[in-house]
Amino acid sequence: MKKWIKRIVLILIILLVLIALSILGLNLWVTLHAKKNIVSSSQELTRNYDCILILGAGLKNGQASPMLTDRLEKGIELYKQGKAPKLLMSGDHGTEYYNEVKVMKQYAIDAGVPSSDIFMDHAGFSTYESMYRARAIFGAEKVVIVTQKYHLTRAVYNAKNLGMDAYGVAAAPINYGGQTIRNIREYLAISKDFVMTFIKPEPTVLGNPISLDGSGDVTNGAD
């Protein structure tokens, strides 16, 4: 009986080691393939991008969270530098009472960005879905992605593997607390999105195409 228990424990240990090595290997693969498209300065960017894609990061008391605020500030800065003619806000508007992208758009308007230059993706429920919909719905081919540094590798990798020429710019490097937990979750999320970008399932919501050449106000009606 003891021999069987030892064998089972050994098998479980081997499986855990293999899983850990697989996760580490996938993270290394994704990092290597996304690294060259992550820039350290906006000066490395050209000016012929379709849009600046800002990813949602939650609301706090109905306003942009500190993390989301920093993403918005960086995205607006790039827009004002002329890096792209449009902003694409991608976030969660899954219920009537939670509209992340409306808050994001209003923040940019208050910062002086014309409403017509701001598009909202109301169904950006995950990094994968945001990238899929940016390409499939909004027709984005060349984008600048703005998020925090720890998240940028996965976002850029997803975008590239979903058919976009994507470049990533990190928001301001600020310690928000709880970063260790976010880093652990990101390791797991990278493995998940590696599989997602391989099989390419459709996102939760699709819809009719929306051209970034027009006015972003066409996306206001979804709120």
Side-chain angles (χ1 to χ4, degrees), residues 19-210:
I19 290 171
L21 290 174
S22 297
I23 291 173
L24 289 172
L26 289 176
N27 273 263
L28 179 60
W29 174 271
V30 168
T31 299
L32 290 174
H33 280 72
K35 185 178 181 180
K36 66 179 181 179
N37 286 59
I38 295 175
V39 303
S40 57
S41 169
S42 62
Q43 294 179 350
E44 298 177 50
L45 298 171
T46 61
R47 292 175 179 265
N48 59 337
Y49 302 95
D50 298 326
C51 67
I52 297 162
L53 174 55
I54 305 175
L55 300 175
L59 303 179
K60 186 174 182 179
N61 299 322
Q63 301 298 317
S65 67
M67 187 176 286
L68 179 54
T69 297
D70 289 332
R71 294 182 187 185
L72 290 165
E73 287 289 333
K74 176 56 71 173
I76 292 166
E77 175 189 320
L78 293 172
Y79 168 85
K80 290 183 175 180
Q81 289 175 357
K83 300 302 182 182
K86 307 290 182 180
L87 293 175
L88 175 56
M89 309 298 194
S90 185
D92 186 350
H93 181 193
T95 71
E96 178 183 354
Y97 306 102
Y98 189 87
N99 192 339
E100 189 176 16
V101 289
K102 184 177 182 180
V103 172
M104 293 168 72
K105 177 162 184 171
Q106 188 59 54
Y107 189 100
I109 290 172
D110 292 343
V113 181
S115 176
S116 59
D117 285 350
I118 309 168
F119 288 77
M120 293 185 287
D121 175 8
H122 296 261
F125 301 128
S126 68
T127 303
Y128 172 81
E129 292 185 294
S130 291
M131 299 308 156
Y132 193 111
R133 286 176 53 82
R135 185 71 182 92
I137 300 298
F138 295 93
E141 296 181 352
K142 190 171 183 179
V143 300
V144 178
I145 301 168
V146 177
T147 184
Q148 271 70 32
K149 183 178 180 180
Y150 81 94
H151 181 217
L152 205 52
T153 296
R154 177 162 61 102
V156 169
Y157 182 85
N158 281 358
K160 289 180 63 180
N161 282 272
L162 290 169
M164 288 184 283
D165 185 12
Y167 294 82
V169 178
I174 295 173
N175 184 2
Y176 306 96
Q179 189 59 46
T180 300
I181 297 298
R182 281 192 289 272
N183 288 341
I184 293 171
R185 288 176 59 190
E186 190 64 16
Y187 264 89
L188 299 174
I190 283 175
S191 299
K192 181 201 69 163
D193 281 7
F194 175 87
V195 176
M196 295 286 278
T197 56
F198 181 76
I199 61 177
K200 295 180 174 58
E202 289 189 355
T204 306
V205 179
L206 273 175
N208 296 322
I210 299 172

Side-chain angles (χ1 to χ4, degrees), residues 203-222:
T204 306
V205 179
L206 273 175
N208 296 322
I210 299 172
S211 174
L212 291 171
D213 293 330
S215 170
D217 290 337
V218 299
T219 61
N220 292 353

